[in-house]
Structure formats: structure tokens, C-alpha cells
Amino acid sequence: MKKVKLLIKNHHCLYHTYLYFSQFIIGMMKFILKPKKGQILFISFNGDRFDDSPKAIYDYMINDEFFNDYEFIWAFQNPSQFHILRGKKISFDSFKYFYYAMTSQVWITNVAVERGLAFKHKDTIYINTWHGTPLKNIDNEKAKNKNHFSQIDIMCAQSCFDQNIFSDIFHIKKENILCCDLPRNDILCQDNQDKIKKIKKDLNIPINKKVILYMPTYREYQVDKNGMIIFDMPIDFKKWYHYLKDDYIILFRAHYLVDKVVDYEHIDFIKSVSTYPVLNELFLISDLLISDYSSAYFDYSILNKPMFCFAYDYQEYLDKRGLYMDLNILPCQIHYNEDSLLDDLLHFSYTEACKKTKEFQEKFAPHCGNASQCVVETLKNKLNGGINQ
């Protein structure tokens, strides 16, 4: 099935034939199927995960008496892999998926719902939390859905910076974009000491070691002639081991396909966490973050911990993907080579770095802490307004 989907997606004529045929069928179904009061559809990362802001909102809802009689539907690529406390699981992109999408009163997602088609009913309340403040350009595949995104009723932003970007690229009314931060980040503002100890124990991280979280951005253009992912590690971990082994341990977090083609040295010094299910838990246990063009800076800044930028391929990335802001806006030195970064790691002032991160957070993530409540209360106000049945 995956091969068939890939063939259709990459073949211009097949894709448009599929698109027109599917849109016709979906259009006919839309006239018959109407939203049912009290039914909510949840989707995280196209059904691949049971996490992120949709789950944070779900967790908040199942503890809110207002939703006691609501039916919750989760769409997954592989439903059997996930356990949910309440509700029904369905297969993503199946007939049931489109049925429940068209009959749900509320959609809650962090990417898209309509799969390139157009079937949102005027009475459907569409909540899109997105999945991070865009430092890098939103890619073409996501931008294709911008006309559908214009129908979003509630969207989350961390500040007026991303509010303006979302409004511009997706044509969403600014009044529909809540500057409340992301629901998934509520946990970063809580007392997590016991949780941190448990996570470190589960990952077998020595209590006496500081934790570096390294998160290089996924470069979708780095493939070989057969379309296979390639990744030239920009760090010589043997060198890092020599200088950092006594004080640090490195958590390597990358796209799961990138992680598969990376060869690790000194396994006790480097741990792969690319498949770890909850990114914010890795934020909690780390002492500093190294990334390049990732939205992770904005979320991580909530913790007021040091951040480093390793933009070793800056010009290539700028040419092939592009950025919404100059990297110099980040609260750290921009490193273009490994030696510069390593030297900074060995000599930086922790106190000064934390101060700079806090200033960055106050500008780009000032509303963190109660996003789930904000989104749910906004939704409840809309639901109390009624839906014409």
C-alpha cells in the first residue's frame, strides 16, 4: 500500500486523476453526512503518533466534566500500537477516517485533516495547534494545503511572530489565532523534578553527567540517486568524547530515517533518542540544546537553559529551504564549524547563557503554561453557541 501511495504521489497524471476522482466522491458524501454534536476527531502527525498538542488537549478534556458525554475518535496509521484511555481508534486514510472526519463536530490536529481534498462542513469547528514556531520555511507540501487551512477556526501561536506568519501563508484570520503557546508545552512550566529523575533512570543516564541534546534539522533534499536518505554527520564524536566525556553525555535526536544511517562511536557517550516518543521529556532532562534551523529553540527557551546553534551548512540550507528570520535573532553565537562550537561548549558562561535564553523566551514564547486550558475554553465558548443540526 505504501508503494502504491508513493507511486501515485510522484506521478503527475496519476496524482491528479486520483485527486479529482476522490474529490468527486468526497463531495457527494459531504451532501449526505453532517457533523454530529458531541463527536471530536483527534489526529497527531498524520496518524503516526499519540502525542504533541492534540494529546495534551485530549488529556485536558477527559478530565473536564463538560466533555463527559462526548465521543472521542483518534485516527492512527496503526491503531493497534496505541492505547487510549477513552474513545475509539480508527485507521488513518481509511473509509472510516473520511466518514468520521465528515461527521465530527470538532477536528483537533497539529498538521492537516483533509488530505489534500476539501470537505470541511461549515458547522465543523477546526482546531489546528500546528507543531512549532516556523524558523525555517514551511515546506511546499504543507503549503499546498494553505487554502484548506484558511478554514481553521482556532489555531495556536507562541507569539505575534508566528501569528503573523501563519496568517500570511495560510490565509487565516488573525482573530482565529490564539497567542497562547502550544498545549504540548504546558508541561515545561510545571514542577517536573520527579519526572526528570524517572526519565533519566529509564534512559540509564548517569546522575553525575550533564546532558547535551543535539537535534539537527531534517534535510529533505539530502538523498542519493535512488531517493534514499543520506546524512554526513558534521561532528567528529571521537573528538567530542575526548573533550567532554568526563562531564557530558549526548542525546542524538534526528529524523528516524537519518538516525538509521548514522554510525555511532562510544555508545556510552552517545545515546540515540530519535524514536523516543515525547520530545518535551528530552527537553526536561537535558542541560543544553544544540540545533540549527529548528523550531525547538522556541519551545526549549521556556526552560531558560543554554542553547547553541550549529549552522554548518547555512548557505546551502538558506538556498534550498529558506528561513523566516535571521539566525542572529537567536540568543547564542552562530557556529559554522565544529571547532568553534566545541570551543564554546568548553568555555561558555552557564549563567549568562541562561539569561540570554530567558530574554529570547520573553519575546518569542511569553504565553506558555496554560495553552490547553485556553484552547479548550475557547472551544467550549464556540460549542455553547450551538451548531445548526
Side-chain angles (χ1 to χ4, degrees):
M1 182 58 69
K2 287 185 178 180
K3 290 182 178 179
V4 171
K5 288 181 179 180
L6 190 63
L7 174 64
I8 293 175
K9 183 178 180 180
N10 294 328
H11 193 288
H12 182 79
C13 291
L14 285 177
Y15 177 74
H16 281 85
T17 300
Y18 155 78
L19 197 64
Y20 291 135
F21 177 75
S22 299
Q23 188 62 69
F24 174 76
I25 299 298
I26 291 294
M28 296 296 292
M29 292 174 62
K30 183 179 176 181
F31 281 106
I32 302 170
L33 302 174
K34 305 296 181 183
K36 297 178 182 177
K37 187 174 181 180
Q39 182 173 295
I40 300 179
L41 175 67
F42 295 87
I43 312 161
S44 180
F45 293 113
N46 294 325
D48 282 325
R49 311 244 285 272
F50 179 47
D51 67 355
D52 208 73
S53 292
K55 184 177 184 297
I57 295 172
Y58 168 80
D59 289 340
Y60 190 94
M61 284 181 169
I62 61 178
N63 292 300
D64 188 333
E65 292 183 357
F66 182 93
F67 298 98
N68 280 353
D69 297 325
Y70 276 68
E71 182 178 18
F72 296 156
I73 314 294
W74 269 94
F76 296 116
Q77 295 281 358
N78 296 294
S80 62
Q81 291 184 356
F82 302 96
H83 170 72
I84 62 175
L85 292 176
R86 175 183 153 196
K88 179 186 297 184
K89 297 182 294 183
I90 60 171
S91 293
F92 189 69
D93 271 352
S94 64
F95 177 82
K96 275 189 176 182
Y97 170 77
F98 290 101
Y99 169 80
Y100 280 108
M102 280 185 276
T103 59
S104 289
Q105 183 183 19
V106 182
W107 295 345
I108 300 177
T109 186
N110 56 5
V111 280
V113 174
E114 296 175 281
R115 310 300 290 145
L117 305 173
F119 56 82
K120 179 184 180 295
H121 196 279
K122 62 181 178 65
D123 291 335
T124 303
I125 300 174
Y126 186 2
I127 300 175
N128 194 311
T129 65
W130 203 240
H131 45 275
T133 292
L135 174 55
K136 61 191 176 189
N137 285 356
I138 295 173
D139 66 44
N140 291 332
E141 191 63 32
K142 291 169 183 171
K144 287 178 184 177
N145 293 302
K146 62 184 179 181
N147 292 328
H148 302 326
F149 285 177
S150 67
Q151 300 186 71
I152 291 172
D153 299 291
I154 301 172
M155 192 167 195
C156 298
Q158 293 187 279
S159 70
C160 59
F161 168 76
D162 44 329
Q163 182 189 46
N164 289 333
I165 291 176
F166 293 146
S167 178
D168 179 55
I169 193 170
F170 294 136
H171 306 299
I172 304 170
K173 296 178 182 177
K174 279 194 177 182
E175 56 265 32
N176 290 359
I177 305 176
L178 301 178
C179 280
C180 63
D181 211 271
L182 307 181
R184 72 183 184 195
N185 289 339
D186 290 348
I187 188 176
L188 299 180
C189 300
Q190 300 168 5
D191 181 2
N192 294 293
Q193 291 308 308
D194 291 340
K195 182 184 288 289
I196 290 171
K197 291 177 182 177
K198 182 180 185 305
I199 298 169
K200 282 189 172 183
K201 182 178 179 181
D202 291 343
L203 289 175
N204 195 28
I205 295 175
I207 200 70
N208 63 325
K209 293 291 183 72
K210 299 185 186 76
V211 177
I212 296 173
L213 178 59
Y214 177 42
M215 292 180 55
T217 304
Y218 175 55
R219 291 143 172 83
E220 68 281 350
Y221 52 81
Q222 286 191 344
V223 295
D224 62 21
K225 62 181 181 180
N226 297 314
M228 301 300 291
I229 296 293
I230 57 175
F231 182 72
D232 294 324
M233 178 63 75
I235 290 175
D236 179 356
F237 282 125
K238 290 182 180 179
K239 182 191 297 185
W240 284 45
Y241 178 76
H242 174 73
Y243 286 103
L244 302 175
K245 67 180 186 301
D246 292 334
D247 299 314
Y248 290 97
I249 188 169
I250 296 177
L251 302 184
F252 181 74
R253 173 82 171 192
H255 190 281
Y256 72 97
L257 290 176
V258 170
D259 189 57
K260 289 178 180 179
V261 298
V262 174
D263 183 25
Y264 297 99
E265 298 284 347
H266 306 293
I267 196 67
D268 60 330
F269 175 63
I270 305 167
K271 290 182 181 293
S272 171
V273 290
S274 297
T275 59
Y276 191 84
V278 185
L279 175 57
N280 277 350
E281 291 186 357
L282 300 179
F283 287 169
L284 289 174
I285 65 170
S286 62
D287 295 283
L288 59 91
L289 170 72
I290 301 174
S291 191
D292 38 43
Y293 321 107
S294 173
S295 63
Y297 290 117
F298 300 91
D299 297 351
Y300 196 79
S301 72
I302 294 170
L303 296 170
N304 295 157
K305 294 190 284 192
M307 303 191 294
F308 296 77
C309 181
F310 184 27
Y312 61 91
D313 59 349
Y314 174 72
Q315 193 57 53
E316 179 184 22
Y317 196 89
L318 198 62
D319 292 341
K320 294 183 177 179
R321 182 66 182 265
L323 302 170
Y324 286 114
M325 66 161 66
D326 192 307
L327 288 182
N328 289 312
I329 199 71
L330 297 174
C332 54
Q333 182 180 345
I334 311 303
H335 297 284
Y336 302 103
N337 64 75
E338 179 188 9
D339 289 338
S340 173
L341 173 61
L342 185 56
D343 183 67
D344 197 5
L345 287 170
L346 291 170
H347 300 105
F348 80 99
S349 166
Y350 187 87
T351 302
E352 186 63 25
C354 290
K355 179 182 176 182
K356 289 180 179 179
T357 299
K358 182 172 177 55
E359 292 171 354
F360 179 84
Q361 176 265 318
E362 289 173 347
K363 182 176 182 180
F364 291 105
H367 308 290
C368 55
N370 296 292
S372 297
Q373 180 181 3
C374 182
V375 171
V376 171
E377 291 303 318
T378 303
L379 171 62
K380 284 159 71 172
N381 286 337
K382 287 184 175 293
L383 292 171
N384 283 332
I387 283 185
N388 297 323
Q389 295 290 331

